[in-house]
Amino acid sequence: MDPLVSIIIPVYNKSSFIKETLDSAFGQTYPNIEVVLVNDGSTDDSLVILEGYKEKYPDKVVLIDQVNGGVSQANNVGIQASQGEYLQFLDADDLLSPDKIEKQIYLLNGQSPAVISSCEWVMFKEKPSEYFCIPYGIFKDFESGIECVLRFWNQQEMMQPAAYLSHRSLIEKAGDWDESLIINQDGEFFLRILLHANEVLYDPHGRVYYRQPGLSNVSQQKSEKAFISLLNSYQTYELNVLSVEDSDRVRKALKKVYQKFIYDCFPKYPHLIAKAEGLMKSLGMPEKTYIGGPKFQQVSKILGFKNALRLKRFMG
């Protein structure tokens, strides 16, 4: 059996990168794919490029052109337009290795629809051949989705969303992408998917190439509006995960999520820091938790978390 896989790609002003991304999608060794392209109101030449691929692959491409509504809305539109049994999300400037989908489908063959697959993801600036990787511990199997989530939170690690291959039924259980969020939409969406996943199977062969964001994107991610959205996404984390497992280990991991928010936000937005501190306190976990690298954790144990942050910011 070769189940149909839908590759969903939202596109907004990515004319510089979209050809390379589409070539990686159509270069898959797995034959039974469709590519769902959602042009989200691009003002550059992106739509012209997408139309060219639609003409070249008329039986493989679903092309939707809409007024700009944001990446979450575009992904929701893409899901609705897709026909695949499995769904692959892909940003318009990232790349898939040629065997990514084939290897994951092979791994998922005969498994329950509640099993999700992951693979390695690496970062690059210009040439994917010059990639570098972060030595995370997430590149392995997990006996349940929640175990994977706790690894993320306890170790401040993450999975690039394109690394997953998900059965449609998992996505239907999780619900839509949250269109109110402007940052961490993917983290919040895949949290809900993982909470419904019975198992996470890691494929050691396929790979996702994640293009480092430009300086303008990084600055936008540090705005007050972005941090408000980020904290909102973390509150949604708490609501969803505690409905599945309300335990000390989950609350302790959530405490680290809010602590990491303060780490990233400090000292720029004191009102948001105060809100995050209140959320930490409401978890009812008085035990101290430590985040960051080994040196920062050691300083935190001696000086306290806030003083360690002040020292870190002072030293640049």
Side-chain angles (χ1 to χ4, degrees):
M1 295 293 291
D2 292 329
L4 179 65
V5 176
S6 299
I7 305 175
I8 298 172
I9 308 177
V11 184
Y12 177 69
N13 289 351
K14 294 292 183 180
S15 60
S16 299
F17 306 119
I18 188 60
K19 288 182 180 180
E20 194 175 6
T21 297
L22 288 174
D23 287 343
S24 83
F26 287 108
Q28 291 298 297
T29 55
Y30 186 76
N32 197 17
I33 65 167
E34 67 170 5
V35 179
V36 182
L37 302 171
V38 183
N39 181 56
D40 192 35
S42 296
T43 57
D44 62 2
D45 292 332
S46 292
L47 180 57
V48 175
I49 296 170
L50 300 183
E51 288 172 338
Y53 278 82
K54 171 65 175 175
E55 185 176 343
K56 185 176 181 180
Y57 302 99
D59 299 328
K60 294 282 189 181
V61 171
V62 177
L63 176 57
I64 299 159
D65 182 28
Q66 65 175 31
V67 174
N68 180 259
V71 65
S72 293
Q73 185 194 76
N75 274 318
N76 287 331
V77 168
I79 293 169
Q80 293 168 8
S82 68
Q83 299 294 319
E85 184 177 344
Y86 288 89
L87 274 67
Q88 163 76 61
F89 294 95
L90 182 61
D91 286 346
D93 53 1
D94 297 335
L95 310 172
L96 306 177
S97 67
D99 60 349
K100 195 269 186 187
I101 291 176
E102 180 185 9
K103 296 297 186 182
Q104 287 185 310
I105 285 291
Y106 179 80
L107 194 63
L108 292 170
N109 183 36
Q111 299 287 341
S112 160
V115 176
I116 189 173
S117 178
S118 67
C119 71
E120 181 185 34
W121 65 272
V122 297
M123 302 181 75
F124 75 103
K125 291 183 179 180
E126 295 181 4
K127 298 179 181 179
S129 59
E130 297 175 357
Y131 70 84
F132 61 97
C133 57
I134 304 173
Y136 283 161
I138 53 171
F139 301 129
K140 64 176 184 178
D141 294 347
F142 288 90
E143 62 185 22
S144 69
I146 196 168
E147 294 294 338
C148 182
V149 167
L150 292 177
R151 172 75 197 196
F152 293 160
W153 294 351
N154 283 318
Q155 303 299 325
Q156 292 86 61
E157 298 180 353
M158 61 166 283
M159 186 69 78
Q160 212 281 342
Y164 294 112
L165 188 66
S166 314
H167 196 276
R168 177 178 290 274
S169 62
L170 264 181
I171 291 167
E172 289 173 346
K173 288 178 182 177
D176 291 343
W177 288 69
D178 187 340
E179 297 179 12
S180 71
L181 298 176
I182 63 168
I183 192 173
N184 198 37
Q185 307 98 321
D186 48 6
E188 191 277 329
F189 177 69
F190 274 98
L191 164 77
R192 286 183 274 123
I193 291 177
L194 287 168
L195 291 179
H196 287 93
N198 292 343
E199 191 175 0
V200 181
L201 294 181
Y202 174 73
D203 168 58
H205 305 288
R207 180 180 290 152
V208 171
Y209 298 89
Y210 171 59
R211 192 183 302 271
Q212 281 190 288
L215 292 176
S216 61
N217 285 345
V218 172
S219 64
Q220 289 172 7
Q221 292 168 6
K222 299 296 183 182
S223 69
E224 181 179 8
K225 189 176 180 180
F227 273 115
I228 290 171
S229 182
L230 184 62
L231 190 55
N232 287 342
S233 75
Y234 291 165
Q235 290 179 263
T236 306
Y237 280 5
E238 180 179 343
L239 179 67
N240 282 290
V241 73
L242 291 181
S243 70
V244 173
E245 180 184 324
D246 190 346
S247 64
D248 284 353
R249 70 168 189 159
V250 168
R251 288 178 176 268
K252 185 176 178 181
L254 278 167
K255 186 176 178 181
K256 289 186 177 183
V257 171
Y258 291 127
Q259 201 169 6
K260 179 62 165 59
F261 175 86
I262 296 169
Y263 181 97
D264 292 336
C265 191
F266 189 88
K268 200 169 183 181
Y269 305 111
H271 60 298
L272 296 179
I273 292 170
K275 184 176 181 180
E277 288 174 332
L279 291 166
M280 285 174 62
K281 187 176 181 180
S282 69
L283 290 169
M285 298 299 296
E287 178 185 352
K288 289 187 180 297
T289 53
Y290 299 96
I291 64 164
K295 289 183 179 179
F296 182 81
Q297 289 192 30
Q298 189 63 34
V299 174
S300 295
K301 290 175 184 178
I302 298 169
L303 301 180
F305 178 59
K306 280 284 196 66
N307 285 331
L309 274 175
R310 291 186 183 99
L311 181 61
K312 183 178 178 65
R313 296 295 183 264
F314 176 76
M315 297 182 68

